[in-house]
Amino acid sequence: MLLPPSGAPRVLMFATFVNTFGNGAYLATAALFLTRSVGLTAGQVAAGLSAGALAGIALATPMGALADRWGPRRVAVAALVTLACCFAGLTLVHHLWSYVVVACVVAVGDATVRAATGALIAGAVPPAQRVRTRAFVRSTNNAGIALGTAVAAGPLLLDSRAGYLAVLWGNAVTYLLAAAVFTRVGVVARVARPAAGPRLVALRDRPFVAFALVDGLVAALYNGLLALALPLWLVSRTHAPAALVSAALLVNTIGCVTLQVWASRGTDTAVAAVPVSRRGALVVAASCVLFGLTAGRGARVAGVLVLGAAAVHVLGELWLSSATFAVAFDLAPDWAQGQYQGALQTGRQIGNMLAPPLLTALVIGWGGPGWLGLSAVFAGAAVAYPPIVRWALRRRVPSWGLQS
């Protein structure tokens, strides 16, 4: 089935495609726009992104709680409109501090949209269909970014301020269009929250926080493996052409777009997610061993190994992401779906800060043994996931007396 059922799932899928198409074009051109057109240094760009990550860590869960309180559709639309203003505002940025402010708002806005989208799926889709719907959204997300990246080839070839500004304005328009599409989703009734207990219960749910931290690091590592570790490895430690990175990313994109829904089958509860998460982590661990075998190989052998490893890697990624969807939806009480999705985004932001130095230290610093070390990290996650999820199932958030 190429499309989810009509109604909220299909509307969310279309809104995601519109949004990520524009964002894909921006992501492909952002570094050159900020350095060559705005005039920032690479260090300043990194500082802005780090500030944004910290803002996302601090505010993702509160913004998710806001989605629970005000309604996920309303919060998602407000965040998308805010992001449209941010990308339009980037056309006026000329120094570091204005960029830092925009980067922080963009990071928080992006985390808010993700949390609100998860809460919207939880409220508008029957429990048995939530993971499948989320899989459709992730598949569409990858398709939109891939197509947006391809469209960005034109502005990149022009390498002019006018071309970069066109991408920014186009991205702002796609955010507004996505906001308009989001309004087509029916209003999700607000679930009464407990009269007692903490407001940010997700951050006090220690098993779920542990899961979010492990998941955040694992997700950042499997994403950065192809985008960061592999290019550095091929250039510095093998005789293979750097173009293999594009081939590996293409394998990953095709796999994520075409197989994510398939990989989500039978993974609709946290209990069902336990063996899936273990399998996914072990498969990614195996791909790391294959990548490491390219050391000192000729171009042809290295090419076969890289493409084979990329195919293995994407299968593990798909199973891991499906398990994450199931755990996040199933462990969150209905009245706190937004803040649990926000807490999950907090874990992702922390992982995004830790993964780059860990990947470079292992793969570039240690060489071939570093790939084995990275494989051991994923194998460790395979061991850690089941007890963490079982702990969370035993310690589900209690049902205090409800208040409307």
Side-chain angles (χ1 to χ4, degrees):
M1 187 176 182
L2 296 177
L3 293 173
S6 59
R10 198 168 295 182
V11 173
L12 289 172
M13 181 178 173
F14 182 63
T16 298
F17 178 78
V18 171
N19 180 204
T20 55
F21 174 77
N23 215 24
Y26 168 72
L27 291 173
T29 58
L32 289 181
F33 165 71
L34 293 169
T35 54
R36 296 172 70 86
S37 181
V38 176
L40 301 178
T41 65
Q44 289 174 325
V45 173
L49 293 175
S50 296
L54 290 172
I57 290 170
L59 295 177
T61 305
M63 295 305 290
L66 194 66
D68 293 322
R69 185 176 180 83
W70 287 2
R73 188 186 73 169
R74 182 187 300 178
V75 170
V77 169
L80 288 166
V81 172
T82 301
L83 286 165
C85 295
C86 286
F87 284 104
L90 270 177
T91 63
L92 304 176
V93 166
H94 293 290
H95 49 76
L96 173 62
W97 294 112
S98 56
Y99 169 61
V100 168
V101 171
V102 173
C104 289
V105 178
V106 167
V108 174
D110 181 66
T112 302
V113 171
R114 292 175 185 273
T117 299
L120 199 53
I121 292 172
V125 178
Q129 294 297 317
R130 288 172 179 174
V131 174
R132 182 174 173 82
T133 300
R134 186 66 185 82
F136 270 112
V137 170
R138 185 174 193 263
S139 175
T140 306
N141 179 85
N142 283 280
I145 289 178
L147 290 175
T149 301
V151 169
L156 287 172
L157 287 173
L158 290 174
D159 191 22
S160 66
R161 181 169 175 81
Y164 296 136
L165 293 183
V167 171
L168 286 172
W169 284 113
N171 194 27
V173 170
T174 63
Y175 272 98
L176 292 176
L177 290 175
V181 175
F182 257 91
T183 63
R184 301 291 299 275
V185 181
V187 176
V188 174
R190 188 172 72 88
V191 179
R193 68 176 179 81
R199 290 185 179 274
L200 293 181
V201 67
L203 296 181
R204 294 173 180 262
D205 187 342
R206 289 182 294 172
F208 186 80
V209 169
F211 172 81
L213 291 174
V214 173
D215 172 78
L217 179 60
V218 168
L221 287 173
Y222 69 60
N223 286 326
L225 195 154
L226 296 184
L228 176 63
L230 183 60
L232 295 175
W233 169 257
L234 290 178
V235 170
S236 64
R237 300 284 185 146
T238 76
H239 304 296
L244 276 176
V245 175
S246 296
L249 289 171
L250 182 62
V251 169
N252 184 266
T253 299
I254 293 173
C256 287
V257 171
T258 61
L259 298 177
Q260 181 67 74
V261 177
W262 165 80
S264 71
R265 291 178 180 174
T267 314
D268 52 1
T269 66
V271 171
V274 169
V276 177
S277 62
R278 181 172 54 234
R279 182 200 316 152
L282 289 175
V283 169
V284 177
S287 75
C288 294
V289 175
L290 292 175
F291 281 122
L293 291 176
T294 59
R297 307 285 181 178
R300 183 173 299 178
V301 175
V304 172
L305 286 170
V306 166
L307 293 179
V312 173
H313 171 278
V314 75
L315 284 175
E317 174 184 339
L318 295 174
W319 280 320
L320 280 167
S321 58
S322 296
T324 296
F325 302 154
V327 171
F329 283 132
D330 199 18
L331 293 183
D334 288 339
W335 50 269
Q337 285 284 348
Q339 62 172 286
Y340 270 71
Q341 294 289 334
L344 191 70
Q345 294 306 313
T346 297
R348 292 292 173 95
Q349 293 280 12
I350 294 173
N352 289 338
M353 294 181 67
L354 297 177
L358 181 58
L359 284 169
T360 53
L362 286 174
V363 174
I364 305 306
W366 288 8
W371 283 106
L372 295 178
L374 187 57
S375 177
V377 172
F378 285 108
V383 173
Y385 271 127
I388 290 175
V389 174
R390 294 188 185 108
W391 177 29
L393 288 169
R394 292 194 304 269
R395 297 282 301 275
R396 283 181 183 274
V397 172
S399 296
W400 295 286
L402 294 178
Q403 68 176 23
S404 58

